[in-house]
């Protein structure tokens, strides 16, 4: 039946918790890793706030691009430090989930920017003269 005659048919919670699992080890966070994730999250939140409130950059497009990049980095930080995704847990499936999430986030962000750009271009009047001629 089983290739390992002494292996239990089902893993017990005790064996899984104490590292006697058979390849399905879940990563556990340490206080240091949680604090690292927290500090990175605070920094990655403060920088975009500072960029917008301080009007640091002249280009609004560059500011928006930097905020988007920092948002993606923050999502990855949360997934690694708080959801404990790495290449070793669950036989590598959590890394596949991380890659999938990054792809979905990039699609959602680029699609949102595309929609906002086209709404701005096609729906906003160009000058005050056009406003006078509107019904």
């Amino acid at each position: 039946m089983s290739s390992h005659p002494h292996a239990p048919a089902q893993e017990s919670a005790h064996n899984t918790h104490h590292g006697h699992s058979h390849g399905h080890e879940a990563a556990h966070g340490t206080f240091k890793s949680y604090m690292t994730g927290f500090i990175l999250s605070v920094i990655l939140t403060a920088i975009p706030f500072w960029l917008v409130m301080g009007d640091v950059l002249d280009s609004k497009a560059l500011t928006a691009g930097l905020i988007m990049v920092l948002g993606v980095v923050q999502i990855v930080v949360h997934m690694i430090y708080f959801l404990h995704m790495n290449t070793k847990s669950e036989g590598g499936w959590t890394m596949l989930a991380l890659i999938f999430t990054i792809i979905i986030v990039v699609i959602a962000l680029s699609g949102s920017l595309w929609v906002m750009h086209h709404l701005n271009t096609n729906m906003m009047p160009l000058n005050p003269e056009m406003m006078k001629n509107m019904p």
Side-chain angles (χ1 to χ4, degrees):
M1 298 208 194
S2 172
S3 62
H4 301 289
H6 299 291
Q10 182 176 357
E11 294 185 71
S12 69
H14 175 78
N15 285 344
T16 302
H17 179 72
H18 291 287
H20 303 293
S21 174
H22 299 285
H24 298 287
E25 301 88 23
H28 296 285
T30 62
F31 179 75
K32 181 181 176 185
S33 72
Y34 280 112
M35 287 308 295
T36 302
F38 175 73
I39 290 168
L40 285 173
S41 296
V42 169
I43 292 169
L44 290 168
T45 301
I47 292 173
F49 185 80
W50 169 71
L51 285 172
V52 172
M53 297 304 289
D55 202 18
V56 176
L57 301 173
D58 292 332
S59 171
K60 299 225 182 281
L62 181 60
T63 302
L66 280 174
I67 290 171
M68 298 274 241
V69 168
L70 290 169
V72 170
V73 170
Q74 189 165 21
I75 289 170
V76 173
V77 164
H78 282 236
M79 292 178 77
I80 291 171
Y81 286 100
F82 300 124
L83 297 178
H84 313 299
M85 291 190 161
N86 60 37
T87 56
K88 296 174 187 83
S89 294
E90 298 295 328
W93 283 103
T94 57
M95 185 53 67
L96 188 63
L98 175 67
I99 293 167
F100 176 75
T101 302
I102 291 170
I103 290 170
I104 294 299
V105 166
V106 167
I107 290 170
L109 289 176
S110 59
S112 297
L113 282 178
W114 182 78
V115 167
M116 288 188 289
H117 169 74
H118 284 280
L119 283 174
N120 185 45
T121 303
N122 298 322
M123 301 295 286
M124 299 302 289
L126 297 176
N127 57 38
E129 292 298 318
M130 290 180 73
M131 287 295 291
K132 290 180 186 175
N133 296 332
M134 291 191 79

